Amino acid sequence: SPCFSQPSGMGMRKWRGENPCWRATELDLSREQRKNLELIQQAYFREAQLLRAQVFTKRLELRELFVSPTVKIESLRSKNSEIIELESRQEEKSIEYLIKVRNLLTPEQVQKWCPELESPAFRHMMHGTGPMGPMQPRQNTPPPE
C-alpha cells in the first residue's frame, strides 16, 4: 500500500481517510508531554532490548539443538515454545507502550497519530512480514563433501 511506503516525516495517510498522520514526536507536544514521552520511550526501549536479547539467545540455543544428532524432538519443541513466549511478551510490551503513548496525547493529537510508526512490532503485525521484509532464499552453494 502506498500509504505505508512514505518515509517518516512525510506524513502517512491513515487507514480511514486521506489526512496525514505522524509519529508522536512530530506532533505539537507540550513540554510536559515531551518529557513524559521520553520517559515512556526510555522504559520501553530498555525492556524491549532485554527481550530481544533473550529471543536471540534462545534462537541460538535452538539452532544448537537442531544440529545436535542426539537431541530429542521434544527438546526442540520446548525451546521453540520458549521463543514463542518471549515473542509474545515482546508484542505485549509493544502494545502497552503504544497505549501509554496514546494516553499521553490529546484527542486531537490522537487523530493525527500513526501508531504503526512508533513500534517495529506493531508494524510487523500490520504488514505480516518481518522488519526487513520477506525472507529471501540464500544463494550459497552447498558445502563440499
Side-chain angles (χ1 to χ4, degrees):
S1 167
C3 69
F4 292 111
S5 63
Q6 295 179 8
S8 174
M10 298 286 292
M12 292 178 52
R13 286 188 298 221
K14 290 186 176 188
W15 301 320
R16 299 178 303 273
E18 296 294 322
N19 296 329
C21 59
W22 312 94
R23 291 181 182 269
T25 56
E26 297 169 331
L27 297 171
D28 187 25
L29 301 178
S30 70
R31 181 176 293 153
E32 177 99 6
Q33 283 176 309
R34 286 192 187 284
K35 179 181 152 192
N36 289 333
L37 179 60
E38 189 172 310
L39 293 173
I40 291 167
Q41 287 174 332
Q42 288 173 356
Y44 169 70
F45 292 135
R46 269 193 310 274
E47 294 170 353
Q49 184 178 19
L50 177 60
L51 284 169
R52 276 193 307 275
Q54 291 172 344
V55 168
F56 180 78
T57 299
K58 296 292 181 187
R59 285 185 179 148
L60 288 176
E61 292 170 3
L62 180 61
R63 187 209 180 279
E64 290 303 312
L65 293 175
F66 266 113
V67 298
S68 175
T70 59
V71 170
K72 296 184 186 279
I73 298 299
E74 296 81 32
S75 297
L76 294 169
R77 288 190 175 122
S78 175
K79 188 61 66 178
N80 189 56
S81 292
E82 292 175 29
I83 293 168
I84 290 169
E85 172 61 30
L86 286 169
E87 289 172 336
S88 177
R89 286 177 46 203
Q90 281 180 310
E91 287 188 15
E92 287 173 17
K93 291 286 181 193
S94 179
I95 295 301
E96 288 304 313
Y97 165 73
L98 291 171
I99 289 170
K100 288 177 183 177
V101 172
R102 183 178 183 267
N103 287 338
L104 181 71
L105 302 174
T106 67
E108 294 79 21
Q109 290 169 329
V110 169
Q111 290 178 340
K112 297 175 184 176
W113 180 52
C114 283
E116 65 273 15
L117 293 176
E118 302 291 342
S119 168
F122 189 69
R123 234 182 344 266
H124 171 72
M125 287 183 274
M126 294 304 301
H127 297 290
T129 61
M132 298 189 320
M135 293 292 290
Q136 299 296 320
R138 291 175 60 142
Q139 300 298 321
N140 295 353
T141 58
E145 294 186 25

